[in-house]
């Protein structure tokens, strides 16, 4: 009872959203001139910067695959991203795990066979943290990859949903996440509806899983629209510039 | 569409931590007014035409501020207050300030009839406001409320019919600002006054602080910051205060003093500084010179508080007894001088958290000064039933109506200028002494949830209801045991059978034994409303005359109950036992069984004993019995204790449920049979679930009692040449077995009872929270234990069932309710609390029935001294299983009307060396004192009920069982046995009281005029009876009545009910009679119910000799009177009226006289027409009443002389000795695990 009331009987969550609502998403691409492709995404108060380098020559010859490119994901959290300042070491298992999630998500989607013997680097930097980092990272990475012009079969849109008190809720923020709510993140190819990643934190009753998954799926579709619009706007802008 | 604006809110908490939150504003938050068409709402909460009142003749919605809910929650809960808009701002503030109140507000919101709507103004685009610079959070919230009110006002101003909004706040400044903004604002008081409801007015909390000019009685409390600093630095000590149950001016806290656990005493009103029992407080230690051993030295500031003085003395024993008898070992052997080892003593400097709740109690008659019938508000004093709570002052307009009632009052505040806390009235429970009222009181006082199951809960019952049967699909995952010879053995009348047994001989010579437990979890699924309700109830509570179920009756007594010859779902525990009852293997399974027989203990015993019975079930029971004996023997060898408690059961009269007899509970061999297998099942299950859930299994342990708790007992029995070795449970059990005194057969039982009280309480715990060594169950001598066998009546068993199911079936899914250590721990805490409360409630219920049983009875019984206090000793009477205090102080006869009583002279003095009380005469070395009272001493006591319900004594409304010493006779302490008592009792003081007694005859209350008129319409039908009752008036010889009476029989103007006052002279003394005529009540007997009757001292029952019907009706009246007065010795005069109509006589004189004889009444023939014998009837009644009073007074005098008429004695006369002890060991600190089958008394009685 002393815990925060995550969902009021009036049906509002702590920040005033209803259970099936996403936070506000804003995004831009090509924010870094150095990188081949980059994107900046704000998902509510979670802010991610993604940079893609490559395809380029692999750093370590030993890792080179002769028939396809290797994906390398590095994930970092800024010390100032959370309320309490904390520096994380490079080998923080949590960070490595996150990086490997992102890597696994993109491996089947990026058409790596087009770029044999090369390496594609994805750098992800959390600038501000307010829950849902994995989804934000995947979405930002998608945009950065597109911006870099790397061939992919589809967008990858990720979205989180969880079970808050008595119903499924979309897109948990930090308060909701940290109250030991069960949380599922899925990454989806919106056109085909294929799922490339399902990741769950904490325990969730199997009866409820279906609801949560379908809600997360809906969220992915919605995120797709948002990302797609940004990409198209950017493309149009580029086209306009090139026409000049 | 939905997302409006993201912005940032910053807060700081704890360490400097910047929290950034999003806050979305919306425009889809509707106003929820029924008539509003602008909003997109579908279901509305606020009605289209809300209520009106004098102040606001237009329909309106109310918007209260936070403080209204915080201070006036009781008023807001009243059904008169509807259509309220609860702003989110307010709700959040309330939640922040007080969770219990928040929950009550939430409950109101959930109640559809209240029309409370939560308006999420903080997320509404138009009502959200940013905090201004230099604005305090409070001001910001007040402004938010005003803005929301304004928005509502504008939003609904065009509605038809017109509705306005009214802001309700007690803050005058806020009101002024609101009015400046053009809003309507009002204080609660104005609003309620406009409702014209005195009851509501009484409930308003006086928030106003008293004038500054008043004298400060208490020191100021320190601020929270000062307190937390002081506690950190070690200057103050924090703890939960426990007030002594005998003296509300003495408290103590347990805390660590210099790293060592210790107790800090807090004595006296000033030092307690407004702390109430259960509050978390901060204490500062006093200098060592002011430390005390015993609280006797406390100075009481007011004379009227003599009671404290008295109880202080009574209290002294405890500390003294405890501290001295260890110290005194090497002390001087002369006269009983008490050496002091001063205990840390402190004073309260601040209150960290209040633990106020609502208190049941009664008002002090003496504090009512207003004239009867006045509705002017007056301050009255309230006594809580719990003597730990100080008197509470509250304002009421209905003081006179509340006298003699049980009421509930809440504390609002305790300003430093007020001696007593200030509270407000909440509601009336009913008449004091009434069985149902008292039962409600005890349930409330023990925090037992006893409301009916809500519709929501019932909706989770199987839809088939009673017709539910086992379906083929239920066999999934269940074994079919329907062919087995399963039978159940329970107390007679048991309807919730949760266990059954079977045994089968196996070919290899072993036995297959099965315990089948009702499969409650099949019906109660985790976390649904029914489950939550059961979890919060925790356990079924057994009272003497009823049962408060944990689960709805359909489940408890039908679908889950393993009744004979119906198929039921069960959870089975199947062992293979060899000939020595050793477990070869064990398995658990869900099953379907069909019990072949539900036996009572007695039936089962008869089957075992009767050699002619050779059917399979009987043979099975014999085998089980054989195995059970072996199991028991092994258990005893392991060191299991056989403890005892003085359990009694009442035989209740069938209709009225009044107790007619008390007997000790009997135990049969078959009790032990069932119990053994239940223990075996519990232990096996405990191992299994601990294996599966090492961190979160729900287990039960019984800690080893500390050696110190045995000290006294050891000492006492060593005098009798008996030693108690309590080093292990085995040695304790052996020494108990050996402690037999042949000439005192009861001694062993007594010793076991007292050993029980040295034990700790067995508790539920979560396996992750303790080390494995601590799992041990001391009383049962097993290393692990849980509760599995009674899921119908205990929630712990439900949890254990779920865990066991998860442990045996890896396919089932379960949520974290089974694995979360924290929540499991929390649940254990709740269950332990509920369990303890349920036990206390059952005991109080037994106490209540004991009181009813002893009402108007005086009995002399043998008892045993089981505890010595400093100036009293506690006697246990085995026959009734009751305990009472006998005081060792002399009673000083007190003159009526005198306010100060002389302090009682101690006749017996406590000798800590021998732990006994002895006479004070000087002793030579080695000489035994003349009189001595020691532990285990056999005494004879007189038991009576000290029932001063109508009296004005301070403790008057607390019923007490009173014990007076008869044998041995000690001058000044003992009373003479009741036989000789009447001759001795003085008469003088009684006469005085008589003269002052204004009422000799009273009946029902006067009805409102309006009501009267209404009833007049029915006069035709009622004429006959009305005439009967009308006689009462004639007897008054009132002229007016006479005149009417002359026309009687034809057009007599029927008054339904009326009251008169009359002066009458009987036997040379004048009496004032308060007479009520009850004419025609049979139509509304509901109104004229027992409580009105109870107020009457005597009754004239009138019938017409010319009507047999009128005579027959009297029988009903007589019974009603007896029931109301709870006695068959009520002054009644039977008046055979209309004796002038001899020729029409239908009822013979002999018949009337016989009835009078049977009714203990006086028979007289009267005629109202001629006035014959009217006055005589009246006189006779008065004489009868006087005689009855005289009889009662002898009783009283005897009582009073016992205590020197000190008003404090009711406080002292708590009968249960264990209530005195602030420290463990508690009363029955270990519940009788062994008596697994004992389910309270109620199954056996009803």
């Amino acid at each position: 009872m002393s815990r925060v009331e995550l969902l009021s009987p009036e049906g509002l969550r702590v920040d005033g959203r209803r259970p099936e609502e996403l936070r506000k998403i804003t995004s831009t691409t090509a924010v870094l001139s150095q990188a081949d492709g980059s994107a900046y995404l704000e998902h509510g108060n979670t802010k991610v910067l993604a940079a893609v380098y490559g395809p380029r020559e692999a750093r370590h010859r030993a890792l080179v695959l002769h028939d396809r490119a290797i994906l390398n994901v590095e994930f970092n959290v800024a010390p100032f991203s959370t309320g309490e300042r904390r520096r994380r070491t490079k080998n923080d298992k949590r960070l490595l795990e996150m990086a490997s999630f992102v890597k696994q998500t993109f491996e089947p989607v990026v058409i790596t066979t087009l770029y044999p013997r090369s390496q594609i680097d994805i750098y992800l930097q959390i600038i501000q943290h307010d829950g849902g980092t994995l989804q934000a990272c995947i979405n930002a990475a998608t945009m950065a990859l597109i911006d870099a012009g790397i061939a992919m079969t589809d967008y990858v849109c990720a979205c989180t949903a969880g079970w808050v008190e008595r119903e499924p809720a979309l897109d948990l923020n930090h308060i909701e996440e940290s109250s030991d709510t069960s949380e599922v993140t899925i990454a989806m190819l919106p056109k085909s509806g294929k799922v490339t990643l399902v990741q769950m934190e904490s325990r969730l009753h199997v009866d409820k899983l279906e609801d949560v998954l379908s809600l997360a799926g809906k969220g992915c579709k919605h995120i797709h629209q948002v990302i797609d619009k940004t990409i198209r706007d950017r493309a149009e802008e580029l086209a306009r510039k090139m026409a000049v | 569409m939905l997302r409006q604006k993201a912005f940032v809110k910053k807060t700081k908490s704890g360490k400097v931590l910047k929290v950034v939150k999003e806050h979305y504003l919306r425009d889809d938050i509707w106003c929820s007014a029924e008539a509003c068409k602008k909003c997109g709402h579908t279901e509305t909460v606020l009605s289209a035409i809300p209520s009106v009142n004098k102040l606001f003749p237009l329909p309106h919605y109310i918007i209260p501020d936070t403080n209204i809910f915080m201070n006036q929650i009781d008023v807001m809960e009243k059904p008169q207050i509807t259509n309220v808009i609860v702003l989110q701002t307010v709700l959040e503030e309330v939640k922040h300030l007080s969770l219990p109140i928040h929950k009550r507000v939430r409950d109101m919101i959930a109640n559809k009839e209240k029309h409370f709507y939560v308006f999420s103004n903080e997320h509404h685009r138009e009502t959200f406001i940013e905090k201004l610079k230099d604005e305090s959070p409070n001001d910001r919230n007040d402004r938010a409320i005003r803005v929301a009110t304004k928005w509502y006002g504008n939003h609904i101003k065009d509605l038809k019919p017109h509705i306005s909004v009214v802001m309700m706040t007690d803050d005058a400044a806020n009101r002024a600002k609101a009015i400046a903004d053009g809003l309507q604002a009002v204080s609660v008081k104005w609003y309620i006054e406009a409702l014209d409801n005195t009851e509501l007015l009484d409930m308003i909390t006086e928030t106003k602080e008293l004038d500054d000019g008043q004298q400060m009685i208490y020191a100021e409390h320190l601020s929270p910051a000062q307190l937390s600093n002081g506690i950190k630095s070690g200057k103050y000590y924090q703890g939960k205060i426990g007030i002594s149950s005998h003296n509300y001016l003495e408290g103590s806290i347990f805390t660590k003093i210099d790293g060592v656990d210790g107790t800090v005493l807090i004595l006296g009103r000033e030092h307690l500084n407004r702390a109430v029992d259960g509050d978390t407080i901060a204490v500062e230690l006093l200098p060592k010179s002011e430390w005390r051993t015993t609280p006797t030295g406390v100075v009481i500031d007011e004379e009227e508080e003599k009671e404290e003085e008295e109880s202080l003395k009574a209290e002294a024993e405890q500390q003294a007894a405890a501290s001295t008898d260890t110290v005194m070992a090497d002390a001087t052997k002369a006269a009983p001088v008490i050496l002091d080892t001063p205990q840390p003593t402190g004073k309260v400097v601040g209150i960290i958290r209040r633990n106020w709740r609502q208190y049941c109690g009664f008002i002090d008659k003496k504090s009512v000064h207003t004239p009867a019938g006045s509705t002017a508000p007056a301050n009255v004093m309230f006594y809580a039933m719990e003597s730990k709570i100080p008197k509470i002052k509250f304002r009421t307009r209905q003081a006179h109506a509340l006298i003699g009632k049980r009421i509930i009052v809440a504390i609002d505040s305790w300003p430093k200028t007020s001696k007593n806390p200030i509270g407000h009235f909440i509601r009336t429970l009913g008449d004091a002494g009434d069985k149902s009222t008292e039962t409600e009181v005890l349930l409330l006082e023990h925090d037992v949830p006893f409301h009916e199951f809500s519709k929501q809960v019932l909706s989770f019952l199987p839809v088939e209801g009673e017709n539910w049967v086992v379906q083929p699909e239920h066999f999934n995952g269940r074994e079919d045991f329907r062919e087995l010879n399963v039978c159940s053995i329970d107390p007679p009348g048991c309807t919730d059978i949760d266990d059954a047994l079977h045994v089968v001989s196996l070919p290899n010579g072993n036995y297959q034994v099965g315990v089948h437990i009702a499969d409650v979890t099949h019906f109660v699924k985790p976390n649904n409303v029914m489950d939550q309700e059961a979890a919060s109830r925790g356990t079924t509570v057994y009272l003497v005359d009823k049962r408060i179920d944990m689960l709805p009756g359909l489940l408890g007594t039908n679908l889950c109950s393993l009744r004979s010859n119906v198929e039921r779902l069960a959870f089975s525990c199947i062992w293979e036992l060899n000939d020595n009852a050793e477990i070869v293997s064990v398995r658990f399974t869900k099953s379907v069984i069909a019990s072949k027989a539900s036996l009572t203990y007695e039936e089962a015993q008869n089957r075992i004993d009767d050699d002619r019975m050779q059917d399979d079930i009987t043979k099975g029971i014999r085998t089980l019995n054989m195995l059970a004996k072996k199991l028991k023997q092994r258990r005893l060898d392991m060191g299991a204790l056989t403890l005892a408690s003085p359990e009694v059961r009442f035989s209740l009269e069938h209709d009225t449920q009044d107790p007619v007899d008390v007997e000790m509970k009997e135990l049969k061999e078959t009790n032990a049979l069932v119990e053994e297998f239940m223990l075996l099942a519990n232990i096996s299950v405990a191992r299994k679930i601990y294996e599966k859930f090492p961190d979160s299994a729900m287990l039960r342990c019984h800690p080893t009692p500390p050696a110190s708790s045995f000290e006294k007992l050891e000492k006492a029995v060593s005098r009798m040449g008996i030693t108690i070795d309590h080093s292990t449970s085995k040695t304790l059990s052996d020494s108990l077995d050996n402690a037999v005194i042949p000439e005192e057969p009861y001694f062993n039982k007594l010793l076991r009872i007292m050993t029980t009280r040295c034990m700790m309480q067995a508790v539920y715990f979560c396996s992750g929270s303790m080390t494995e060594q601590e799992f041990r169950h001391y009383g049962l001598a097993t290393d692990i234990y849980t509760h599995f066998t009674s899921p119908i009546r205990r929630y712990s068993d439900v949890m254990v069932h779920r865990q066991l199911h998860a442990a045996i079936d890896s396919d089932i899914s379960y949520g974290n309710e089974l694995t979360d250590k924290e929540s499991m721990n929390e649940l254990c805490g709740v269950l332990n609390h509920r369990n303890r409360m349920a036990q206390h409630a059952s005991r109080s219920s037994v106490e209540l029935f004991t009181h009813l049983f002893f009402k108007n009875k005086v009995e002399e019984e043998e008892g045993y001294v089981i505890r010595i206090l400093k100036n009293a000793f506690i006697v246990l009477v085995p026959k009734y299983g009751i305990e009472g205090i006998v005081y060792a102080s002399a009673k000083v006869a007190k003159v009526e009307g005198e306010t100060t009583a002389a302090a009682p002279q101690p006749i017996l003095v406590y000798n800590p060396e021998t732990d006994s009380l002895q006479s004070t005469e000087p002793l030579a070395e080695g000489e035994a004192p003349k009189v001595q009272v020691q532990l285990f001493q056999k005494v004879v006591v007189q038991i009576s009920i000290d029932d001063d319900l109508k009296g004005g004594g301070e403790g008057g409304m607390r019923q007490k069982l009173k014990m007076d010493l008869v044998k041995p006779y000690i001058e000044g302490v003992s009373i003479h046995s009741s036989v000789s008592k009447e001759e001795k009792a003085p008469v003088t003081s009684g006469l005085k009281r008589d003269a002052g007694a204004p009422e000799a005859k009273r009946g029902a209350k006067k009805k409102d005029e309006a009501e009267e008129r209404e009833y007049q319409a029915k006069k035709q039908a009622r004429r006959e009876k009305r005439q009967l009752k009308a006689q009462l008036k004639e007897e008054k010889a009132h002229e007016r009545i006479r005149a009417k009476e002359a026309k009687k029989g034809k057009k007599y103007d029927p008054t339904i009910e009326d009251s008169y006052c009359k002066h009458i002279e009987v036997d040379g003394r004048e009496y004032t009679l308060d007479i009520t005529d009850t004419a025609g009540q049979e139509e509304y007997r509901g109104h004229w119910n027992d409580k009105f009757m109870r107020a009457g001292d005597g009754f004239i029952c009138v019938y017409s000799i010319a009507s047999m019907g009128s005579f027959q009706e009297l029988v009903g009246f007589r019974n009603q009177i007896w029931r109301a007065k709870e006695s068959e010795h009520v002054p009644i005069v039977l008046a055979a009226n209309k004796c002038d109509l001899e020729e029409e006589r239908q009822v013979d004189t002999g018949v009337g006289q016989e009835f009078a004889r049977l009714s203990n009444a006086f028979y007289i023939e009267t005629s109202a027409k001629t006035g014959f014998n009217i006055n005589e009837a009246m006189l006779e009644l008065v004489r009868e009443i006087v005689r009855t009073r005289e009889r009662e007074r002898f009783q009283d005098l005897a009582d009073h002389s016992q205590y020197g008429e000190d008003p404090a004695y009711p406080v002292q006369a708590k009968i249960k000795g264990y209530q005195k002890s602030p420290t463990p060991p508690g009363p029955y600190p270990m519940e009788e695990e062994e008596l697994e089958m004992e389910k309270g008394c109620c199954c056996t009685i009803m």
Side-chain angles (χ1 to χ4, degrees), chain B residues 1110-1124:
Chain B
S1110 70
F1111 178 72
Q1112 280 161 350
E1113 235 161 61
L1114 278 188
V1115 183
F1117 281 121
R1118 196 242 3 225
N1119 290 343
Q1120 203 185 345
I1121 292 168
W1122 280 1
R1123 193 173 62 235

Side-chain angles (χ1 to χ4, degrees), chain B residues 495-497 547 549 551-561 792:
Chain B
T495 52
D496 46 355
I497 305 171
R547 191 177 66 204
D549 284 324
L551 292 169
L554 177 65
L555 286 186
T557 59
N558 191 349
L559 304 189
C560 288
S561 181
I792 297 178

Side-chain angles (χ1 to χ4, degrees), chain B residues 398-635:
Chain B
Q398 37 178 352
H400 282 274
L402 295 179
I403 292 174
K405 303 270 168 137
R406 295 279 187 232
I407 58 174
I408 302 182
V409 164
I411 302 185
D412 300 322
S413 63
W414 197 342
K416 56 182 181 280
T417 48
S418 159
K419 196 174 86 188
N420 290 313
I422 293 172
H424 68 267
F425 168 78
I426 292 178
R427 68 189 170 98
T428 310
L429 294 171
D431 281 308
D434 183 56
K435 196 164 44 185
S436 58
T437 311
E438 296 293 348
T439 304
E440 199 178 338
V441 167
L442 78 88
L443 290 173
L444 282 169
E445 280 294 296
H446 291 101
D447 191 21
V448 175
F450 62 100
H451 49 86
E452 296 281 308
F453 287 100
S454 68
K455 279 209 186 85
Q456 244 188 322
V457 170
L458 297 179
S459 70
F460 285 93
L461 292 173
V463 283
E464 299 90 343
E466 303 244 321
N467 303 321
W468 182 93
V469 284
V470 175
Q471 300 290 338
E473 68 262 22
H474 291 132
F475 284 89
N476 279 343
R478 286 180 188 275
E479 285 186 52
D480 184 355
F481 287 149
R482 285 176 297 175
E483 298 309 311
L484 292 176
N485 278 321
V486 174
C487 68
S488 61
I489 308 176
D490 286 285
C494 177
T495 52
D496 46 355
I497 305 171
D498 34 26
D499 46 68
L501 292 156
H502 88 267
V503 63
V504 176
S505 296
L506 296 175
N508 62 3
N510 288 349
Y511 301 98
Q512 183 201 57
V513 177
V515 164
H516 310 276
I517 307 297
D519 191 8
V520 170
T521 49
H522 177 81
F523 299 98
V524 183
K525 296 295 180 207
N527 289 328
N528 68 24
V529 182
M530 184 156 71
D531 181 56
Q532 283 162 0
E533 178 72 27
S536 79
R537 292 188 178 219
T539 173
T540 295
V541 180
Y542 292 89
L543 304 181
V544 173
D545 59 339
K546 64 173 172 184
R547 191 177 66 204
I548 315 291
D549 284 324
M550 179 182 87
L551 292 169
L554 177 65
L555 286 186
T557 59
N558 191 349
L559 304 189
C560 288
S561 181
L562 304 176
R563 300 194 291 192
S564 54
N565 302 321
V566 277
E567 294 178 6
R568 286 287 178 249
L569 304 180
F571 208 144
S572 303
C573 177
I574 312 284
W575 297 276
E576 189 180 337
L577 299 180
N578 66 16
D579 232 6
N580 285 327
E582 282 153 356
I583 299 174
V584 178
S585 68
V586 58
R587 69 191 175 90
F588 309 94
T589 177
K590 292 235 172 182
S591 61
V592 179
I593 62 162
S595 171
K596 299 288 177 291
S598 324
L599 307 174
T600 61
Y601 289 130
E602 194 159 1
E603 283 166 4
Q605 189 65 48
N606 291 343
R607 279 186 184 228
I608 293 175
D609 297 340
D610 189 349
D611 289 336
R612 286 164 303 172
M613 305 276 281
Q614 287 300 339
D615 56 301
D616 287 343
I617 293 175
T618 311
K619 281 186 197 162
I621 296 173
R622 283 188 197 130
T623 315
L624 287 171
N625 195 30
M626 179 269 291
L627 291 169
K629 281 181 179 162
K630 289 177 179 165
L631 284 170
K632 182 161 189 181
Q633 193 49 48
R634 201 164 53 239
R635 212 162 50 78

Side-chain angles (χ1 to χ4, degrees), chain A residues 57-207:
Chain A
E57 199 179 339
R59 284 271 166 79
H60 303 289
R61 295 215 158 256
L63 296 175
V64 169
L65 298 172
H66 64 90
D67 59 340
R68 56 199 155 100
I70 51 170
L71 269 183
N72 174 40
V73 180
E74 276 181 34
F75 176 77
N76 231 322
V77 177
F80 52 82
S81 64
T82 49
E84 204 178 354
R85 269 177 178 253
R86 207 174 99 210
R87 186 169 288 281
R88 280 162 230 252
T89 60
K90 199 120 201 240
N91 292 324
D92 189 327
K93 288 285 178 287
R94 193 79 195 159
L95 299 185
L96 294 178
E97 186 197 20
M98 201 69 136
S100 92
F101 281 147
V102 178
K103 186 175 167 196
Q104 283 166 25
T105 312
F106 281 100
E107 261 170 351
V109 188
V110 174
I111 310 171
T112 46
T113 47
L114 289 177
Y115 318 105
R117 305 180 67 78
S118 57
Q119 170 176 350
I120 299 167
D121 291 305
I122 303 172
Y123 296 101
L124 295 164
Q125 177 75 42
I126 298 286
I127 295 168
Q128 193 172 328
H129 173 84
D130 188 26
T133 37
L134 183 57
Q135 56 167 352
C137 285
I138 292 173
N139 295 333
T142 306
M143 293 168 71
L145 283 168
I146 293 170
D147 187 45
I150 289 168
M152 295 201 290
T153 48
D154 195 353
Y155 282 77
V156 185
C157 296
C159 188
T160 306
W163 192 270
V164 173
E165 300 206 347
R166 58 195 177 276
E167 45 182 307
L170 197 60
D171 189 12
L172 307 185
N173 67 19
H174 182 62
I175 304 169
E176 289 165 333
E177 261 183 0
S178 50
S179 312
D180 197 28
T181 28
S182 13
E183 182 185 14
V184 180
T185 304
I186 65 169
M188 204 181 199
L189 309 186
K191 278 198 189 119
S192 57
K194 283 181 185 162
V195 172
T196 69
L197 171 93
V198 177
Q199 190 251 343
M200 181 158 88
E201 302 258 324
S202 170
R203 288 163 51 88
L204 179 65
H205 199 280
V206 71
D207 298 349

